[in-house]
Amino acid sequence: MNEPQKEWTNKSIITEINDRNLMWTELQNNPEREDLREKFITKRHKIMKLIRETKNSYYKKEFDKYSGKPKKLWNLLNILTNNKFKQRCAPPKLIVNSIEVTDPHEICNIFNKFFATIGPYLADEIPIQFHVN
């Protein structure tokens, strides 16, 4: 049984997948037939290419449809990347100097302070012979 259909799936893809599956069954029943193996591999590559092209076309249309609509575009990106972070982006707790911090705003402030000051700190750690004049 095939996995649930995606938005970009169409009748052509389903037909090709069903044909490929029939070829696979036939190949399993006749593993010595090299001609069946070659036909199956050719069909499999054809389907992979068809799926890739169909997905690319579908998502390009989706991106074009949402250009100028940042919220909908970000929703689409989150779906494509399987991004499960919705509300919370800070970790639930952070340990700094042996102190556990759980307040999300304080965690964000700690990260902000770290990233705002790490550049100059790292620059000071570069040996003098590597400095650019």
Side-chain angles (χ1 to χ4, degrees), residues 100-114:
E100 186 175 293
V101 180
T102 57
D103 176 42
H105 294 290
E106 185 61 27
I107 291 172
C108 289
N109 287 334
I110 291 168
F111 275 115
N112 185 42
K113 182 179 178 185
F114 172 80

Side-chain angles (χ1 to χ4, degrees), residues 2-49:
N2 294 330
E3 68 180 47
Q5 295 181 12
K6 307 288 183 188
E7 303 86 26
W8 46 263
T9 309
N10 59 38
K11 186 175 180 175
S12 175
I13 290 174
I14 293 170
T15 301
E16 291 291 331
I17 289 173
N18 289 336
D19 289 348
R20 180 208 56 199
N21 292 346
L22 289 173
M23 291 175 86
W24 174 250
T25 303
E26 188 176 352
L27 179 60
Q28 293 304 301
N29 293 332
N30 301 291
E32 73 287 344
R33 295 215 20 218
E34 193 60 35
D35 62 318
L36 289 178
R37 179 174 306 286
E38 289 176 18
K39 280 182 170 180
F40 171 76
I41 290 171
T42 301
K43 175 67 87 174
R44 184 180 63 194
H45 289 161
K46 178 182 175 186
I47 292 170
M48 288 168 42
K49 182 179 179 186

Side-chain angles (χ1 to χ4, degrees), residues 45-101:
H45 289 161
K46 178 182 175 186
I47 292 170
M48 288 168 42
K49 182 179 179 186
L50 176 63
I51 289 172
R52 185 174 46 251
E53 289 172 351
T54 304
K55 282 171 74 174
N56 288 344
S57 174
Y58 173 81
Y59 287 117
K60 178 171 181 354
K61 287 177 188 172
E62 290 295 300
F63 278 107
D64 290 345
K65 182 168 65 174
Y66 295 136
S67 74
K69 299 175 184 173
K71 185 173 182 175
K72 290 189 178 195
L73 189 59
W74 276 111
N75 286 338
L76 178 62
L77 286 170
N78 285 329
I79 290 167
L80 292 176
T81 59
N82 292 322
N83 190 352
K84 302 295 183 219
F85 295 106
K86 296 294 181 206
Q87 298 295 321
R88 171 178 266 179
C89 63
K93 68 178 179 178
L94 189 64
I95 298 175
V96 180
N97 299 326
S98 301
I99 300 171
E100 186 175 293
V101 180

